[in-house]
Amino acid sequence: MSLVSYIILALAFGIGAMLLFRRCGEATPVQLMPGLGIVATLAAIHAALYWLGALVGSYLAFYTPEEPDRYNDLNSYVFLGLAAVVAFKMLAPYLRREPQLPIFNLADKLAVLSMAVATGVNVLLVGVGTGFVEPEPNVHKIIWPLLITSILLGYLGLMFGRQKVDLRPRRWMIIACVLLLGVAVAAVINA
């Protein structure tokens, strides 16, 4: 996978973090400096889960030493399947007429950690799919784009939540899912 693919995946997860912090910031407003720490904590946990998923996926990928490229198409289909599951899981709550989305208390440290782990499951699954496509994952390509975009977009979402700025969450989540599926389809085409 190219660096552009990792950046696009990071944008998709950054949009998800923006929507999450927009909801939680409106329900329990926090000051901006502690909020930056909360956003950075979530971004660091997501980056670590993505890296862990990529390592697990690289160990589970189909591979033969005689013909290293023999199972590239099969591995890319596994990535597409995992990305489709994650995209459906991310988009399904937004398709309801009155979506009931989870809201976490940003003032409670345990709630913030549970929020990071609960929302990090999607990142972990996409990381496993990335490991199938990328046999030797590069830590810098994986961690830095996700960390930077999650911090920037999550902090933007926190500020939007504090100010009660209206977003169209359904449209933003559709964009995030299209980005996620676009990278997976590109991996299948390039296999």
Side-chain angles (χ1 to χ4, degrees):
M1 285 178 48
S2 66
L3 180 61
V4 175
S5 298
Y6 287 108
I7 291 172
I8 292 172
L9 286 175
L11 280 173
F13 290 123
I15 290 171
M18 179 182 72
L19 295 175
L20 174 69
F21 279 111
R22 187 334 191 157
R23 284 191 315 267
C24 297
E26 182 179 10
T28 57
V30 294
Q31 294 180 350
L32 289 179
M33 286 312 289
L36 181 60
I38 293 168
V39 171
T41 301
L42 179 118
I45 291 174
H46 280 193
L49 286 173
Y50 190 50
W51 170 244
L52 178 68
L55 284 178
V56 169
S58 67
Y59 290 132
L60 295 176
F62 301 104
Y63 176 75
T64 59
E66 295 84 25
E67 296 179 53
D69 295 335
R70 181 174 184 178
Y71 295 111
N72 282 352
D73 56 344
L74 182 62
N75 288 332
S76 63
Y77 283 123
V78 170
F79 178 45
L80 178 63
L82 286 171
V85 167
V86 169
F88 178 74
K89 186 179 167 199
M90 287 170 61
L91 187 61
Y94 291 93
L95 296 178
R96 297 183 188 141
R97 189 172 303 273
E98 294 295 325
Q100 299 293 326
L101 300 166
I103 296 173
F104 297 91
N105 183 5
L106 296 180
D108 184 17
K109 292 178 183 173
L110 187 59
V112 170
L113 289 177
S114 65
M115 172 182 68
V117 173
T119 58
V121 171
N122 294 335
V123 180
L124 179 71
L125 288 174
V126 172
V128 170
T130 302
F132 271 89
V133 175
E134 189 78 28
E136 295 177 8
N138 184 348
V139 67
H140 298 293
K141 283 184 181 179
I142 290 174
I143 289 179
W144 294 116
L146 183 61
L147 196 64
I148 291 169
T149 56
S150 290
I151 288 174
L152 291 176
L153 291 175
Y155 197 57
L156 184 67
L158 184 66
M159 288 189 286
F160 284 162
R162 283 172 42 96
Q163 298 295 322
K164 296 179 177 40
V165 174
D166 284 334
L167 291 178
R168 297 184 184 258
R170 185 175 296 143
R171 289 184 185 174
W172 281 105
M173 190 51 72
I174 289 172
I175 291 170
C177 292
V178 166
L179 291 173
L180 182 63
L181 290 174
V183 171
V185 169
V188 169
I189 291 171
N190 292 333

